[in-house]
Amino acid sequence: MKSYQINPENFDMDAIIAEFKANGFNVTEEALLHNYEAWQSDLKSGYLDEENGYFLFSACGCNPLYFYAEEINGKDYQKTYTA
């Protein structure tokens, strides 16, 4: 299964999107904002983008910010949520 993780020093959306694109993932602004806003609220989050074929995960805000993208594999955890 293809995956890629970005650990940005700051939230530069254009740079993050470009890096994901260069590594085979068409991550959208909507997905990044969903996970970034959850991280700022100390919530973990996932974003399922079936149209673009990826699932994006970020841990809660007590962790350093990161975005982990992976191909959709049909697992139960691959859904849009905050927790």
Side-chain angles (χ1 to χ4, degrees):
M1 173 176 59
K2 185 170 88 171
S3 64
Y4 189 76
Q5 182 170 316
I6 295 176
N7 300 66
E9 290 185 25
N10 56 51
F11 185 67
D12 179 344
M13 187 169 323
D14 292 334
I16 295 168
I17 288 172
E19 185 173 341
F20 271 124
K21 189 171 191 94
N23 288 280
F25 289 95
N26 188 24
V27 173
T28 64
E29 287 184 20
E30 183 179 354
L32 289 172
L33 283 174
H34 176 269
N35 284 22
Y36 182 67
E37 290 171 357
W39 177 81
Q40 287 185 310
S41 298
D42 198 21
L43 300 169
K44 68 179 178 178
S45 59
Y47 188 91
L48 179 61
D49 186 340
E50 292 179 298
E51 183 177 329
N52 290 298
Y54 68 90
F55 171 73
L56 186 69
F57 173 79
S58 297
C60 61
C62 63
N63 297 284
L65 177 62
Y66 72 86
F67 300 98
Y68 174 78
E70 66 184 19
E71 293 176 318
I72 295 174
N73 61 23
K75 301 289 184 182
D76 289 343
Y77 68 86
Q78 289 188 330
K79 60 186 174 185
T80 299
Y81 70 92
T82 57

